[in-house]
Amino acid sequence: MTLITVQEQHLPGTSLEEKFDQALAWGFDGIELRSAGGLRFQARLPELRRARDAGVVMPTACVEMPHFVGAFDDELRKDAVVQLKSQLSVMAEIGGRGVMTPASYGMFSKRLPPFIPSRSEEEDTAVLVESFTELGEHAAAEGVVIYLEPLNRYEDHMINTLADGVRLLTLVGLDAVRLAPDTYHMNIEESDPAAALQDAAGYIGHIQASDSNRLEPGAGHIDWALFGATLKSIGYQGTVALESRLSGPAEEVLPRVPSLLGRYL
């Protein structure tokens, strides 16, 4: 069964329990957490344990850090690995499935000046293989998964398409490293999003959903019927998390999302 979740920052409430009640009232199945760096996610463990014990469904966490595992600076890269390992351990403790991260975000784009990055493609690949191998081994030991999210060409220069992600995962060769396609980035990068999902089917572990304009599903021009039919065709049974901006007040727009996605999933 596919779970439709919503990120925690969109939900009203002073506790995860209150947020979960609201998520259920709006038709969602659970909450996607935001996992901040600086070991702040680990510091939330008392709160997260209480929520787990109260039955709050929190299958995944979306990383929220100033630097990532593909950083040009080796110390920043190493810190990102430390942060993600901690976050993976937290998710294991609360019974979650895993944590998702891009290779980098906002660090460099070949589509904007100065156009030429400070590392070669081969060096980029070596850095990412090293980082995701270490993370995948840690995730496997904890019984969870690290999810790699390809970003569009303006936000990252290394992993833009699902095929890029599959190539990297093939080099890493660990089942605890999976792909997390995002429909917004796919709308920019994939010439045929349905075919891209089908080609990457064996590597997909989590999906994030937002429309073509980064608003909630239904506020843009993505073909959600085709999206749902494609996921059914590949037998996808993972999570689909709403990661988007909102076109209006949460209480007005978010209740439409589970009914829209649930119609096709």
Side-chain angles (χ1 to χ4, degrees), residues 105-219:
Y105 168 71
M107 182 178 80
F108 193 88
S109 170
K110 292 178 182 177
R111 302 291 175 170
L112 299 169
F115 300 116
I116 301 175
S118 59
R119 281 191 312 236
S120 68
E121 290 185 12
E122 292 76 16
E123 289 168 331
D124 282 342
T125 298
V127 163
L128 295 180
V129 168
E130 179 182 348
S131 296
F132 279 100
T133 297
E134 186 174 351
L135 289 168
E137 290 172 347
H138 182 79
E142 292 280 23
V144 291
V145 177
I146 182 75
Y147 303 112
L148 168 61
E149 178 188 8
L151 301 188
N152 72 74
R153 68 196 75 176
Y154 305 108
E155 298 180 25
D156 177 37
H157 73 287
M158 293 178 285
I159 305 294
N160 302 132
T161 66
L162 299 194
D164 291 339
V166 168
R167 281 191 289 272
L168 181 66
L169 266 59
T170 300
L171 293 172
V172 172
L174 296 171
D175 289 339
V177 186
R178 299 285 90 185
L179 280 184
D182 182 306
T183 55
Y184 167 73
H185 298 295
M186 291 180 66
N187 175 69
I188 296 172
E189 293 296 336
E190 307 291 355
S191 58
D192 186 337
L197 287 169
Q198 290 171 330
D199 290 344
Y203 296 88
I204 297 172
H206 176 54
I207 292 173
Q208 289 196 319
S210 64
D211 223 311
S212 55
N213 48 11
R214 209 29 156 174
L215 297 176
E216 74 279 356

Side-chain angles (χ1 to χ4, degrees), residues 64-82:
E64 190 173 26
M65 301 194 302
H67 48 265
F68 297 85
V69 296
F72 292 138
D73 182 289
D74 197 50
E75 291 306 310
L76 295 179
R77 181 192 70 79
K78 289 178 180 178
D79 179 69
V81 171
V82 168

Side-chain angles (χ1 to χ4, degrees), residues 3-77:
L3 297 180
I4 301 173
T5 62
V6 57
Q7 290 193 341
E8 60 178 306
Q9 72 273 12
H10 290 314
L11 296 165
T14 58
S15 68
L16 284 169
E17 293 89 333
E18 290 179 0
K19 289 176 179 286
F20 182 55
D21 287 343
Q22 186 61 72
L24 293 178
W26 287 344
F28 293 95
D29 301 307
I31 297 173
E32 177 160 88
L33 300 167
R34 298 299 295 260
S35 48
L39 299 178
R40 285 176 289 169
F41 194 57
Q42 180 177 308
R44 292 180 65 185
L45 258 175
E47 169 200 8
L48 295 172
R49 290 190 191 108
R50 285 194 302 271
R52 174 203 61 196
D53 294 344
V56 177
V57 176
M58 305 169 286
T60 58
C62 179
V63 70
E64 190 173 26
M65 301 194 302
H67 48 265
F68 297 85
V69 296
F72 292 138
D73 182 289
D74 197 50
E75 291 306 310
L76 295 179
R77 181 192 70 79

